[in-house]
Amino acid sequence: QRHPELASVAASCGAAGPPTQTLEQARESARGWFERGLRGSNKHGAAERAGLCSRLRRELEARATKLVSSGTTPDRLERLLESGRAEEEGPLVCSLLRHELVGSRYEGLFISREDAGRYILGDSFEGSGLPKVDQDGANIHPRVRVVVSVINDRLAIEGFYHEGEEDALNPAKVPIGPFLTVYFEGVRLKEALARWKNTRGGPAIRTAGSAGSSGGKPDDLRALERGLPPGWELRESRSKKGVYYYANPS
């Protein structure tokens, strides 16, 4: 309601189905939002527009944090997934799923509600950093439709659909982290579960010390970062100095 110009941007970018416009077209369609947000300002350049986006992101992150910390019970989650309103189910489930990925290489993953209990993970836009082929050269669709449910009192991926399939639900029954590791990296489920058990949010990179300028990354990590896919970077954990994780800010 506070941002009417953005109401259709998420949907047109693939939030509830195949995307109908490019990111550049989405930026153009949101021109009115930028103009309204910067009304009265002497500057309307790229830095000011980026600042406006950052403020909106902080608002959304604050709302997601509030939802995650609301103490939702498994019973309430089950009721929402079965018969909840879209405006109540969607934000809560998306926030809970995204919270599971904090500190992992999948932090910031595009997650949206398609229908009751059905969600879309990932996107096909440039900069997503998601692999499009597996280690054997087979195609991986960067957007996967999943069904979520409550399993053992925890929100989990019940199953997923291969691209183009509407009826055959492939079983998963695991939390979102291990599911993504298996789906995008081709890792065996047992190994994926072990990764997410041993390091919250998935694999992290440890380094004994830091080199270079104060607050900078060690030279070996900088070299590793240069080889990452577009949109991905290495970030140092705030709570554990010397521990780095993969992040995709886009």
Side-chain angles (χ1 to χ4, degrees):
Q1 294 176 350
R2 293 176 56 190
H3 307 281
E5 299 90 346
L6 302 182
S8 62
V9 170
S12 61
C13 287
T20 58
Q21 61 178 199
T22 64
L23 289 181
E24 188 57 40
Q25 290 170 332
R27 294 189 188 100
E28 183 63 26
S29 67
R31 180 187 293 271
W33 179 73
F34 286 107
E35 292 176 349
R36 181 168 63 87
L38 296 173
R39 189 174 298 152
S41 172
N42 294 327
K43 297 182 179 180
H44 290 246
E48 287 69 33
R49 294 195 297 271
L52 197 61
C53 291
S54 295
R55 288 195 294 274
L56 175 60
R57 187 188 71 246
R58 288 193 292 270
E59 287 182 21
L60 295 175
E61 289 175 347
R63 186 187 181 201
T65 299
K66 184 176 180 180
L67 287 170
V68 169
S69 60
S70 62
T72 301
T73 64
D75 288 343
R76 178 170 179 256
L77 263 179
E78 288 180 334
R79 289 195 299 270
L80 285 176
L81 291 170
E82 292 174 0
S83 57
R85 297 177 301 162
E87 59 269 28
E88 187 177 7
E89 174 202 334
L92 177 60
V93 173
C94 286
S95 297
L96 290 170
L97 291 175
R98 287 172 62 90
H99 180 70
E100 296 254 346
L101 304 178
V102 171
S104 81
R105 63 189 64 185
Y106 297 107
E107 181 175 5
L109 183 80
F110 189 84
I111 302 177
S112 61
R113 181 185 184 273
E114 181 184 51
D115 204 344
R118 295 192 180 197
Y119 287 76
I120 296 174
L121 310 180
D123 69 84
S124 55
F125 291 115
E126 59 182 86
S128 71
L130 297 174
K132 295 185 178 180
V133 293
D134 64 15
Q135 55 189 3
D136 298 320
N139 291 332
I140 303 174
H141 200 271
R143 296 173 74 253
V144 56
R145 296 165 55 240
V146 302
V147 173
V148 301
S149 64
V150 177
I151 300 176
N152 296 327
D153 292 338
R154 181 177 180 181
L155 190 64
I157 307 300
E158 174 76 24
F160 69 100
Y161 295 96
H162 287 299
E163 179 64 15
E165 294 181 353
E166 296 293 333
D167 301 322
L169 180 67
N170 301 278
K173 299 184 183 300
V174 292
I176 185 174
F179 170 77
L180 293 173
T181 299
V182 172
Y183 181 83
F184 284 115
E185 301 172 44
V187 173
R188 293 180 181 275
L189 178 58
K190 184 177 181 179
E191 180 183 347
L193 290 169
R195 286 188 188 184
W196 286 81
K197 178 181 180 181
N198 295 334
T199 55
R200 182 175 183 266
I205 297 177
R206 291 184 178 274
T207 177
S210 59
S213 60
S214 177
K217 298 185 181 74
D219 293 338
D220 56 338
L221 292 188
R222 290 184 181 182
L224 176 60
E225 192 173 49
R226 287 195 292 270
L228 294 177
W232 289 86
E233 65 183 33
L234 288 170
R235 290 184 178 178
E236 186 175 20
S237 170
R238 297 183 199 174
S239 59
K240 297 180 180 179
K241 294 300 180 182
V243 176
Y244 288 79
Y245 61 88
Y246 296 94
N248 183 356
S250 59

